[in-house]
Amino acid sequence: MREATPKTVYLKDYTPPEYLIGQVELTFLLDERDCQVTSRLRMQKNPAGADASAPLVLDGENLKLESVRLAGRVLQEDEYQVTPESLIIPGAPKVEVFLLEIVTRIDPSANTALEGLYLSNDMLCTQCEAQGFRRITYFLDRPDVMASYSVTLIGDKWRFPVLLSNGNRVAAGQLKKNRHWVRWEDPHKKPCYLFALVAGRLECLEDAYTTASGREVALQIYVEKHDIDKCDHAMQSLKNAMRWDEEAFGREYDLDLYMIVAVSHFNMGAMENKGLNVFNTKYVLARPDTATDADYEHIEGVIGHEYFHNWTGNRITCRDWFQLSLKEGLTVFRDQEFTADRTSRGVKRIEDVNLLRNRQFLEDAGPLAHPVRPESYIEINNFYTLTVYEKGAEVVRMLHTLLGKEGFRQGTDLYFERHDGQAVTCDDFVRCMEEANGVDLALFRRWYSQAGTPVLRLTADYSAADASLTVRVKQSCPPTPGQPVKEPHHIPLALGLLGPDGADLPLQLEGEGAPHAATTRVLSVTEAEQTFRFVNLPAKPVVSALRGFSAPVRLHVLRGYDELAFLLRHDSDAFNRWDAGQVLASQIMLNLVEQIIEGEQPKKADPHLVEAYRHLLAQPWEDLSFLSLLLGLPSEDYIGSLMKIIDPDAIHAARQLLKKEIATALADDFRRLYAEHHRDESGRFDAQAIGRRRLKNVCLGYLAELDTDDTHRLCAEQFHQARNMTDQIAALGCLVNSSAAAKGACLAEFYEQWREEALVVDKWFALQAGCHLPGTLDVARELLSHPAFDLKNPNRVRSLVGAFSQSNPVRFHALDGSGYDFLAEQVIALNALNPQIAARLLAPLSQWRRLDEARQRAMTAALKRIMAEPGVSKDVYEVASKSLG
Ligand code: B3K
Ligand code: ZN
């Protein structure tokens, strides 16, 4: 147990900084174990500070302080105070500008938390967001302190031939004892969380980009030597992103150089440091034989995301960390739009909503729920959440929906013009949207302050007598921690009406002279209950509501199987078409779940889904990726989220039964489509080839459910013949989850083939940990002692422990609690090494209230065991204590 309860930080306590830093000069004497950092800060008291007599308090953690010099004079030890988290200088000048020089030493090799300066393989690199800079030197480590930086890196020429930092490389030279130095200057003022340095033996892929206004930008991707053949896709993605931001948002890049470095040890996906992005290798490296189509798409998305931060995050940053969604929600929205424009808009929307509903909705319904703009935190790293990122992006998307494309662009233009170079708030962003469009978004702002997923209930009554349809909408929002009562949200409800032939009908509201120009219109729902009356409808229409998932809400519309099948067949809105299939499948599965819970052994599911799929498979299709999604069943987690008390065993059994039934009934169709689309197009990444692979592998997935010698052969054949990772891993996944005798041999073969490719080895771990068959926990435990397992590498931890606890509900929730024990043990081991990753891994245990009593006991016991650990980090403490409630 911790000795003291860690401190909570509140948004309401925000005050401007007491001191400002104008210029920063940093000199690093680089060494893996003993790195000396000299920091020269030009500072002054902030006239806007709240306390004229406040001492200078600099943040710092895990630093060895060597000396402090103020205005040229070395301070004596009684002139400053050092605490575990700060350096306090009471005598700092109150009026004039002064120079503060601090020398500290750090040990990057001991830094397993991967925050601050650390060692990844043999490379030195940094991660400063949110509060890692204070592990490099004493500083005002907060985003509203923006300074210009000059950085000199000094290191051994052999160990660190490449020396990188933010901005432009302005000077370099040789030193004695085989050392050299490089100086970097960043002309743009920035908060310290955007500082970066990288030093190591790296190879570089170079290219160039000419901006819309004709400036030349050098592009460089740095990787370890053996990875240089896997950078082409990342480079192309970067150029695509740069062009897209010019076209879609009118934003150009602002330095002469853009660098990306890929590192193997990284807590998150990537980091947008000014001019020097540091990336998890997972989001850079790709070759057709090592990366799947999904990997390729994610790489382009993340490269885009970090690039887009240059304007939404770097040029305009956050005033404080409560405003994190200002940059993250907006930038996720931007990367979603980028991918939508580059691939298929409908498919991208479905994938994004799937993530939101499967994961963010759970967060919003549990003890860790928080608003998009949180009001308090213990550890800010715990708030890089699906709510801040994905729901935050939905909030931005709703503004886009309400204001229209043009209005939204006027809002962002004003935002960039007004706030360039500033550290601002979510409210500043909304104000730009309001002012550019002459609208009042007072109610809309509740999306930033209220947690929880609103529920929208919709009923529609048709009157043949006056050819009208009355649509009634009721909204509510469940209580969340600290917010027992909610005000209504401003919900953009995009809606269409389908006629009996499935075609869209003209939309005319009562009182309007003519129908609306478009067949989808956005209704503004702002009250707890509202009614909309559509007229001129000679026959009863079917309502297609929340088209494109126009708001992050749970929609309830009472519909029969026939109406859902009708929408799945006809809706012109890609998202709603898919969603009708999801609702149909969910209802059928929930029915099976109920029967199983009541002790009946259902043999058959309702035939509506099979028939709907049969119809889909008989159609000609342009977008095969879309068809693949239409054929996908809702996840076990999603079905669980629809139940009062989750029964993981019954859900799994029901889903398996339905899958097998579909496979049996439609085996001929799946075989035919498989044969039609199975061809070698390795290395082709156009929409058609990707669509064919996707559909072919969905067919293979269903066929594998039959679990016969014949299907085992088919999978093994694909596995052995595949020349691209999409096909190889899909086939291996089928084998691992089957009874095929060959699966052990195939797994071993795969490992031998790819043992040198860390990212592929991650897939090998994840596949085994995600296997839904009994015995998986034993396999996972054994894999902990596999020579390739490494608790210090977050990707590896996620691929084993994360895959087991987050993608394998039936084994994780084993009734005897063994899955929870496994997770608790790993969280405890990680707590000492990497608290950020430990806290993230532990989140599934927060869902304990949704399960039955026996599981509740086991889950809370696991949480208590974690809390009782001596030395529990504040990251883990916050998640575990809030989970227990
Ligand atoms: N801004 C970084 C996240 C840093 C996480 C710190 N715990 C990645 C991104 O969202 O682009
Ligand atoms: Zn981001």
Side-chain angles (χ1 to χ4, degrees), residues 116-168:
L117 181 65
Y118 66 91
L119 199 59
S120 172
N121 297 338
D122 292 326
M123 183 194 323
L124 283 172
C125 61
T126 53
Q127 171 57 37
C128 293
E129 187 179 357
Q131 297 177 331
F133 195 73
R134 63 185 63 186
R135 292 164 182 255
I136 295 175
T137 181
Y138 287 103
F139 205 76
L140 297 177
D141 190 355
R142 43 187 291 167
D144 56 354
V145 171
M146 296 172 86
S148 46
Y149 284 67
S150 168
V151 179
T152 306
L153 305 176
I154 305 169
D156 181 275
K157 271 195 263 186
W158 192 86
R159 277 145 60 208
F160 308 117
V162 173
L163 298 172
L164 310 174
S165 191
N166 319 79
N168 301 313

Short mmCIF file of all heavy atoms in Angstrom, two decimals, residues 116-168:
data_model
loop_
_atom_site.label_atom_id
_atom_site.label_comp_id
_atom_site.label_asym_id
_atom_site.label_seq_id
_atom_site.Cartn_x
_atom_site.Cartn_y
_atom_site.Cartn_z
N GLY A 116 10.80 10.50 -20.45
CA GLY A 116 12.05 11.23 -20.31
C GLY A 116 13.04 10.67 -21.31
O GLY A 116 12.66 10.26 -22.42
N LEU A 117 14.32 10.63 -20.94
CA LEU A 117 15.37 10.10 -21.84
C LEU A 117 15.60 8.63 -21.50
O LEU A 117 15.89 8.30 -20.36
CB LEU A 117 16.66 10.90 -21.65
CG LEU A 117 17.86 10.52 -22.52
CD1 LEU A 117 17.59 10.79 -24.00
CD2 LEU A 117 19.11 11.28 -22.07
N TYR A 118 15.48 7.75 -22.51
CA TYR A 118 15.65 6.33 -22.22
C TYR A 118 16.38 5.63 -23.37
O TYR A 118 16.61 6.21 -24.42
CB TYR A 118 14.32 5.66 -21.89
CG TYR A 118 13.31 5.60 -23.03
CD1 TYR A 118 13.25 4.52 -23.89
CD2 TYR A 118 12.39 6.63 -23.21
CE1 TYR A 118 12.30 4.45 -24.91
CE2 TYR A 118 11.45 6.57 -24.24
CZ TYR A 118 11.41 5.48 -25.08
OH TYR A 118 10.48 5.41 -26.08
N LEU A 119 16.68 4.37 -23.10
CA LEU A 119 17.44 3.58 -24.05
C LEU A 119 16.51 2.54 -24.68
O LEU A 119 15.83 1.81 -23.97
CB LEU A 119 18.56 2.88 -23.27
CG LEU A 119 19.76 2.34 -24.01
CD1 LEU A 119 20.49 3.44 -24.76
CD2 LEU A 119 20.71 1.67 -23.02
N SER A 120 16.47 2.51 -26.02
CA SER A 120 15.70 1.46 -26.70
C SER A 120 16.66 0.74 -27.62
O SER A 120 17.21 1.35 -28.54
CB SER A 120 14.57 2.08 -27.52
OG SER A 120 13.93 1.09 -28.30
N ASN A 121 16.84 -0.55 -27.38
CA ASN A 121 17.96 -1.28 -28.00
C ASN A 121 19.22 -0.45 -27.75
O ASN A 121 19.51 -0.18 -26.59
CB ASN A 121 17.68 -1.58 -29.47
CG ASN A 121 16.46 -2.52 -29.59
OD1 ASN A 121 16.13 -3.20 -28.63
ND2 ASN A 121 15.81 -2.53 -30.72
N ASP A 122 19.94 0.04 -28.76
CA ASP A 122 21.14 0.82 -28.42
C ASP A 122 20.95 2.31 -28.67
O ASP A 122 21.92 3.07 -28.70
CB ASP A 122 22.33 0.33 -29.26
CG ASP A 122 22.72 -1.07 -28.85
OD1 ASP A 122 22.61 -1.37 -27.66
OD2 ASP A 122 23.12 -1.85 -29.73
N MET A 123 19.71 2.71 -28.82
CA MET A 123 19.44 4.09 -29.23
C MET A 123 18.94 4.90 -28.03
O MET A 123 18.17 4.40 -27.22
CB MET A 123 18.33 3.99 -30.29
CG MET A 123 17.91 5.25 -30.91
SD MET A 123 16.33 5.04 -31.80
CE MET A 123 16.41 3.43 -32.53
N LEU A 124 19.41 6.14 -27.93
CA LEU A 124 18.87 7.02 -26.90
C LEU A 124 17.70 7.79 -27.51
O LEU A 124 17.82 8.32 -28.62
CB LEU A 124 19.92 8.02 -26.42
CG LEU A 124 20.98 7.48 -25.46
CD1 LEU A 124 22.06 8.54 -25.23
CD2 LEU A 124 20.35 7.06 -24.13
N CYS A 125 16.58 7.86 -26.80
CA CYS A 125 15.46 8.63 -27.34
C CYS A 125 14.64 9.20 -26.18
O CYS A 125 14.89 8.87 -25.01
CB CYS A 125 14.60 7.78 -28.25
SG CYS A 125 13.89 6.37 -27.42
N THR A 126 13.69 10.07 -26.52
CA THR A 126 12.91 10.73 -25.47
C THR A 126 11.42 10.55 -25.69
O THR A 126 10.96 10.38 -26.81
CB THR A 126 13.18 12.25 -25.48
OG1 THR A 126 12.94 12.76 -26.79
CG2 THR A 126 14.57 12.58 -25.03
N GLN A 127 10.68 10.63 -24.61
CA GLN A 127 9.22 10.79 -24.66
C GLN A 127 8.87 11.77 -23.54
O GLN A 127 9.04 11.48 -22.37
CB GLN A 127 8.50 9.45 -24.44
CG GLN A 127 6.98 9.59 -24.26
CD GLN A 127 6.29 10.31 -25.43
OE1 GLN A 127 6.67 10.13 -26.59
NE2 GLN A 127 5.31 11.15 -25.12
N CYS A 128 8.37 12.95 -23.92
CA CYS A 128 8.14 13.96 -22.89
C CYS A 128 6.66 14.22 -22.58
O CYS A 128 6.35 14.74 -21.52
CB CYS A 128 8.83 15.26 -23.28
SG CYS A 128 10.62 15.07 -23.25
N GLU A 129 5.76 13.93 -23.51
CA GLU A 129 4.36 14.14 -23.17
C GLU A 129 3.90 13.00 -22.27
O GLU A 129 4.19 11.84 -22.57
CB GLU A 129 3.49 14.16 -24.44
CG GLU A 129 2.05 14.56 -24.11
CD GLU A 129 1.13 14.62 -25.33
OE1 GLU A 129 1.60 14.41 -26.45
OE2 GLU A 129 -0.05 14.88 -25.14
N ALA A 130 3.16 13.27 -21.21
CA ALA A 130 2.76 14.58 -20.79
C ALA A 130 3.82 15.26 -19.91
O ALA A 130 4.12 16.43 -20.07
CB ALA A 130 1.44 14.48 -20.04
N GLN A 131 4.40 14.51 -18.98
CA GLN A 131 5.29 15.16 -18.02
C GLN A 131 6.64 14.46 -17.93
O GLN A 131 7.17 14.23 -16.85
CB GLN A 131 4.58 15.22 -16.66
CG GLN A 131 3.32 16.07 -16.77
CD GLN A 131 2.50 16.15 -15.51
OE1 GLN A 131 2.50 15.22 -14.68
NE2 GLN A 131 1.78 17.25 -15.34
N GLY A 132 7.20 14.14 -19.09
CA GLY A 132 8.49 13.44 -19.11
C GLY A 132 9.68 14.39 -19.10
O GLY A 132 10.79 14.00 -18.74
N PHE A 133 9.44 15.64 -19.51
CA PHE A 133 10.59 16.57 -19.58
C PHE A 133 11.21 16.79 -18.20
O PHE A 133 12.41 16.98 -18.07
CB PHE A 133 10.16 17.90 -20.21
CG PHE A 133 11.32 18.75 -20.65
CD1 PHE A 133 12.06 18.42 -21.78
CD2 PHE A 133 11.70 19.88 -19.92
CE1 PHE A 133 13.15 19.19 -22.19
CE2 PHE A 133 12.79 20.66 -20.32
CZ PHE A 133 13.51 20.31 -21.45
N ARG A 134 10.37 16.73 -17.17
CA ARG A 134 10.88 16.91 -15.81
C ARG A 134 11.79 15.77 -15.37
O ARG A 134 12.39 15.81 -14.31
CB ARG A 134 9.70 17.08 -14.84
CG ARG A 134 8.80 15.87 -14.75
CD ARG A 134 7.60 16.12 -13.87
NE ARG A 134 6.73 17.18 -14.41
CZ ARG A 134 5.68 17.66 -13.76
NH1 ARG A 134 5.37 17.20 -12.56
NH2 ARG A 134 4.91 18.59 -14.31
N ARG A 135 11.87 14.70 -16.16
CA ARG A 135 12.81 13.62 -15.87
C ARG A 135 14.13 13.82 -16.62
O ARG A 135 15.02 12.98 -16.59
CB ARG A 135 12.21 12.26 -16.26
CG ARG A 135 11.06 11.88 -15.37
CD ARG A 135 10.25 10.76 -16.00
NE ARG A 135 9.12 10.43 -15.16
CZ ARG A 135 9.06 9.34 -14.39
NH1 ARG A 135 10.05 8.47 -14.40
NH2 ARG A 135 8.01 9.12 -13.63
N ILE A 136 14.19 14.94 -17.36
CA ILE A 136 15.43 15.26 -18.10
C ILE A 136 16.16 16.40 -17.40
O ILE A 136 17.36 16.38 -17.22
CB ILE A 136 15.10 15.62 -19.57
CG1 ILE A 136 14.53 14.39 -20.28
CG2 ILE A 136 16.34 16.14 -20.29
CD1 ILE A 136 14.06 14.64 -21.70
N THR A 137 15.39 17.42 -17.02
CA THR A 137 15.99 18.54 -16.28
C THR A 137 14.89 19.26 -15.49
O THR A 137 13.70 19.05 -15.75
CB THR A 137 16.68 19.52 -17.25
OG1 THR A 137 17.27 20.59 -16.50
CG2 THR A 137 15.71 20.12 -18.26
N TYR A 138 15.30 20.10 -14.53
CA TYR A 138 14.30 20.90 -13.79
C TYR A 138 13.72 21.95 -14.74
O TYR A 138 14.46 22.62 -15.48
CB TYR A 138 14.96 21.58 -12.59
CG TYR A 138 15.26 20.60 -11.48
CD1 TYR A 138 16.56 20.13 -11.27
CD2 TYR A 138 14.24 20.14 -10.67
CE1 TYR A 138 16.83 19.21 -10.26
CE2 TYR A 138 14.50 19.21 -9.65
CZ TYR A 138 15.79 18.76 -9.46
OH TYR A 138 16.03 17.85 -8.47
N PHE A 139 12.41 22.09 -14.70
CA PHE A 139 11.77 22.97 -15.68
C PHE A 139 10.35 23.32 -15.22
O PHE A 139 9.81 22.71 -14.30
CB PHE A 139 11.68 22.22 -17.03
CG PHE A 139 11.60 23.13 -18.23
CD1 PHE A 139 12.72 23.78 -18.71
CD2 PHE A 139 10.39 23.33 -18.89
CE1 PHE A 139 12.64 24.61 -19.82
CE2 PHE A 139 10.30 24.15 -20.00
CZ PHE A 139 11.43 24.79 -20.47
N LEU A 140 9.74 24.32 -15.89
CA LEU A 140 8.31 24.58 -15.68
C LEU A 140 7.58 23.66 -16.66
O LEU A 140 7.33 24.02 -17.80
CB LEU A 140 7.97 26.04 -15.96
CG LEU A 140 8.65 27.05 -15.04
CD1 LEU A 140 8.30 28.49 -15.47
CD2 LEU A 140 8.24 26.83 -13.58
N ASP A 141 7.31 22.44 -16.20
CA ASP A 141 6.82 21.39 -17.08
C ASP A 141 5.30 21.48 -17.19
O ASP A 141 4.56 20.73 -16.56
CB ASP A 141 7.27 20.03 -16.53
CG ASP A 141 7.00 18.90 -17.52
OD1 ASP A 141 6.40 19.16 -18.58
OD2 ASP A 141 7.39 17.75 -17.21
N ARG A 142 4.84 22.44 -17.96
CA ARG A 142 3.41 22.63 -18.19
C ARG A 142 3.24 23.23 -19.58
O ARG A 142 4.08 24.01 -20.03
CB ARG A 142 2.81 23.53 -17.11
CG ARG A 142 3.67 24.75 -16.77
CD ARG A 142 3.15 25.51 -15.59
NE ARG A 142 1.90 26.18 -15.90
CZ ARG A 142 1.10 26.71 -14.98
NH1 ARG A 142 1.40 26.64 -13.69
NH2 ARG A 142 -0.03 27.30 -15.32
N PRO A 143 2.15 22.86 -20.28
CA PRO A 143 2.08 23.22 -21.71
C PRO A 143 1.90 24.71 -21.99
O PRO A 143 2.16 25.14 -23.11
CB PRO A 143 0.88 22.41 -22.22
CG PRO A 143 0.10 22.02 -21.02
CD PRO A 143 1.06 21.96 -19.88
N ASP A 144 1.50 25.50 -20.99
CA ASP A 144 1.31 26.93 -21.26
C ASP A 144 2.60 27.72 -21.07
O ASP A 144 2.58 28.96 -21.13
CB ASP A 144 0.18 27.51 -20.41
CG ASP A 144 0.39 27.27 -18.92
OD1 ASP A 144 1.36 26.56 -18.55
OD2 ASP A 144 -0.41 27.79 -18.12
N VAL A 145 3.72 27.05 -20.85
CA VAL A 145 5.01 27.74 -20.84
C VAL A 145 5.71 27.40 -22.15
O VAL A 145 6.17 26.27 -22.36
CB VAL A 145 5.87 27.29 -19.63
CG1 VAL A 145 7.28 27.83 -19.75
CG2 VAL A 145 5.22 27.75 -18.33
N MET A 146 5.72 28.35 -23.07
CA MET A 146 6.26 28.08 -24.41
C MET A 146 7.55 28.86 -24.62
O MET A 146 7.60 30.06 -24.33
CB MET A 146 5.23 28.46 -25.48
CG MET A 146 3.97 27.60 -25.39
SD MET A 146 2.66 28.17 -26.48
CE MET A 146 3.10 27.33 -28.00
N ALA A 147 8.58 28.18 -25.12
CA ALA A 147 9.90 28.80 -25.25
C ALA A 147 10.55 28.39 -26.55
O ALA A 147 10.12 27.43 -27.20
CB ALA A 147 10.78 28.35 -24.08
N SER A 148 11.60 29.13 -26.97
CA SER A 148 12.37 28.66 -28.12
C SER A 148 13.59 27.89 -27.61
O SER A 148 14.14 28.20 -26.54
CB SER A 148 12.76 29.82 -29.03
OG SER A 148 13.26 30.88 -28.27
N TYR A 149 14.00 26.90 -28.37
CA TYR A 149 15.01 25.96 -27.92
C TYR A 149 16.24 25.94 -28.83
O TYR A 149 16.11 25.95 -30.05
CB TYR A 149 14.45 24.52 -27.90
CG TYR A 149 13.52 24.22 -26.76
CD1 TYR A 149 12.28 24.87 -26.68
CD2 TYR A 149 13.86 23.31 -25.77
CE1 TYR A 149 11.42 24.60 -25.62
CE2 TYR A 149 13.00 23.03 -24.72
CZ TYR A 149 11.78 23.68 -24.64
OH TYR A 149 10.93 23.41 -23.61
N SER A 150 17.41 25.90 -28.19
CA SER A 150 18.65 25.61 -28.89
C SER A 150 19.28 24.42 -28.16
O SER A 150 19.47 24.46 -26.95
CB SER A 150 19.57 26.85 -28.82
OG SER A 150 20.85 26.49 -29.27
N VAL A 151 19.57 23.37 -28.90
CA VAL A 151 19.98 22.11 -28.26
C VAL A 151 21.31 21.63 -28.85
O VAL A 151 21.42 21.47 -30.07
CB VAL A 151 18.90 21.03 -28.45
CG1 VAL A 151 19.33 19.71 -27.81
CG2 VAL A 151 17.56 21.49 -27.88
N THR A 152 22.28 21.42 -27.99
CA THR A 152 23.57 20.89 -28.45
C THR A 152 23.74 19.46 -27.92
O THR A 152 23.64 19.23 -26.71
CB THR A 152 24.73 21.77 -27.96
OG1 THR A 152 24.45 23.11 -28.38
CG2 THR A 152 26.05 21.31 -28.56
N LEU A 153 23.98 18.55 -28.85
CA LEU A 153 24.15 17.15 -28.48
C LEU A 153 25.60 16.77 -28.69
O LEU A 153 26.16 17.00 -29.77
CB LEU A 153 23.25 16.25 -29.34
CG LEU A 153 21.76 16.61 -29.33
CD1 LEU A 153 21.00 15.71 -30.31
CD2 LEU A 153 21.19 16.47 -27.92
N ILE A 154 26.22 16.20 -27.64
CA ILE A 154 27.63 15.80 -27.74
C ILE A 154 27.71 14.32 -27.44
O ILE A 154 27.16 13.87 -26.42
CB ILE A 154 28.49 16.58 -26.72
CG1 ILE A 154 28.29 18.09 -26.91
CG2 ILE A 154 29.96 16.17 -26.83
CD1 ILE A 154 28.87 18.94 -25.80
N GLY A 155 28.34 13.56 -28.35
CA GLY A 155 28.39 12.11 -28.10
C GLY A 155 29.49 11.42 -28.86
O GLY A 155 30.11 11.99 -29.77
N ASP A 156 29.67 10.17 -28.50
CA ASP A 156 30.66 9.31 -29.15
C ASP A 156 30.26 9.08 -30.61
O ASP A 156 29.11 8.75 -30.90
CB ASP A 156 30.68 7.98 -28.37
CG ASP A 156 31.69 7.03 -28.93
OD1 ASP A 156 31.36 6.30 -29.89
OD2 ASP A 156 32.82 7.02 -28.41
N LYS A 157 31.24 9.23 -31.52
CA LYS A 157 30.93 9.13 -32.95
C LYS A 157 30.51 7.73 -33.36
O LYS A 157 29.74 7.55 -34.29
CB LYS A 157 32.16 9.53 -33.79
CG LYS A 157 32.24 11.00 -34.08
CD LYS A 157 33.24 11.28 -35.18
CE LYS A 157 34.55 11.68 -34.54
NZ LYS A 157 35.58 12.10 -35.49
N TRP A 158 31.05 6.72 -32.67
CA TRP A 158 30.74 5.36 -33.08
C TRP A 158 29.38 4.92 -32.53
O TRP A 158 28.57 4.37 -33.25
CB TRP A 158 31.85 4.41 -32.61
CG TRP A 158 31.68 3.07 -33.27
CD1 TRP A 158 32.17 2.70 -34.48
CD2 TRP A 158 30.94 1.96 -32.76
NE1 TRP A 158 31.76 1.42 -34.77
CE2 TRP A 158 31.01 0.93 -33.73
CE3 TRP A 158 30.22 1.71 -31.58
CZ2 TRP A 158 30.41 -0.32 -33.56
CZ3 TRP A 158 29.61 0.48 -31.41
CH2 TRP A 158 29.70 -0.51 -32.39
N ARG A 159 29.13 5.22 -31.26
CA ARG A 159 27.85 4.80 -30.66
C ARG A 159 26.69 5.68 -31.12
O ARG A 159 25.55 5.22 -31.26
CB ARG A 159 27.93 4.85 -29.13
CG ARG A 159 28.56 3.61 -28.54
CD ARG A 159 29.40 3.94 -27.31
NE ARG A 159 28.67 4.56 -26.23
CZ ARG A 159 29.22 5.39 -25.34
NH1 ARG A 159 30.51 5.74 -25.46
NH2 ARG A 159 28.51 5.89 -24.35
N PHE A 160 26.97 6.97 -31.34
CA PHE A 160 25.89 7.91 -31.69
C PHE A 160 26.23 8.72 -32.93
O PHE A 160 26.36 9.95 -32.86
CB PHE A 160 25.64 8.87 -30.51
CG PHE A 160 25.41 8.19 -29.20
CD1 PHE A 160 26.28 8.38 -28.12
CD2 PHE A 160 24.32 7.35 -29.02
CE1 PHE A 160 26.06 7.76 -26.90
CE2 PHE A 160 24.10 6.72 -27.79
CZ PHE A 160 24.97 6.92 -26.73
N PRO A 161 26.39 8.04 -34.06
CA PRO A 161 26.72 8.81 -35.28
C PRO A 161 25.59 9.76 -35.68
O PRO A 161 25.85 10.80 -36.27
CB PRO A 161 26.93 7.72 -36.34
CG PRO A 161 26.30 6.49 -35.81
CD PRO A 161 26.34 6.58 -34.32
N VAL A 162 24.36 9.40 -35.36
CA VAL A 162 23.23 10.28 -35.70
C VAL A 162 22.77 10.99 -34.43
O VAL A 162 22.50 10.36 -33.41
CB VAL A 162 22.07 9.45 -36.29
CG1 VAL A 162 20.83 10.31 -36.49
CG2 VAL A 162 22.49 8.81 -37.60
N LEU A 163 22.72 12.34 -34.49
CA LEU A 163 22.31 13.15 -33.33
C LEU A 163 21.19 14.07 -33.78
O LEU A 163 21.41 14.97 -34.59
CB LEU A 163 23.49 13.98 -32.81
CG LEU A 163 24.71 13.22 -32.30
CD1 LEU A 163 25.88 14.17 -32.01
CD2 LEU A 163 24.36 12.43 -31.02
N LEU A 164 19.99 13.87 -33.27
CA LEU A 164 18.82 14.62 -33.75
C LEU A 164 18.09 15.34 -32.63
O LEU A 164 18.01 14.85 -31.50
CB LEU A 164 17.81 13.67 -34.42
CG LEU A 164 18.34 12.69 -35.47
CD1 LEU A 164 17.23 11.75 -35.91
CD2 LEU A 164 18.91 13.44 -36.66
N SER A 165 17.55 16.52 -32.97
CA SER A 165 16.62 17.19 -32.06
C SER A 165 15.64 18.02 -32.90
O SER A 165 15.64 17.91 -34.13
CB SER A 165 17.39 18.05 -31.04
OG SER A 165 16.51 18.48 -30.02
N ASN A 166 14.82 18.83 -32.26
CA ASN A 166 13.78 19.55 -33.00
C ASN A 166 14.33 20.69 -33.83
O ASN A 166 15.31 21.33 -33.48
CB ASN A 166 12.76 20.18 -32.05
CG ASN A 166 12.39 19.29 -30.89
OD1 ASN A 166 13.12 19.19 -29.91
ND2 ASN A 166 11.26 18.64 -31.00
N GLY A 167 13.65 20.98 -34.94
CA GLY A 167 13.93 22.20 -35.70
C GLY A 167 14.95 22.00 -36.80
O GLY A 167 14.90 21.02 -37.54
N ASN A 168 15.88 22.96 -36.91
CA ASN A 168 16.88 22.92 -37.97
C ASN A 168 18.26 22.63 -37.40
O ASN A 168 18.61 23.11 -36.32
CB ASN A 168 16.92 24.27 -38.70
CG ASN A 168 15.56 24.61 -39.29
OD1 ASN A 168 14.93 23.78 -39.93
ND2 ASN A 168 15.10 25.84 -39.06
#
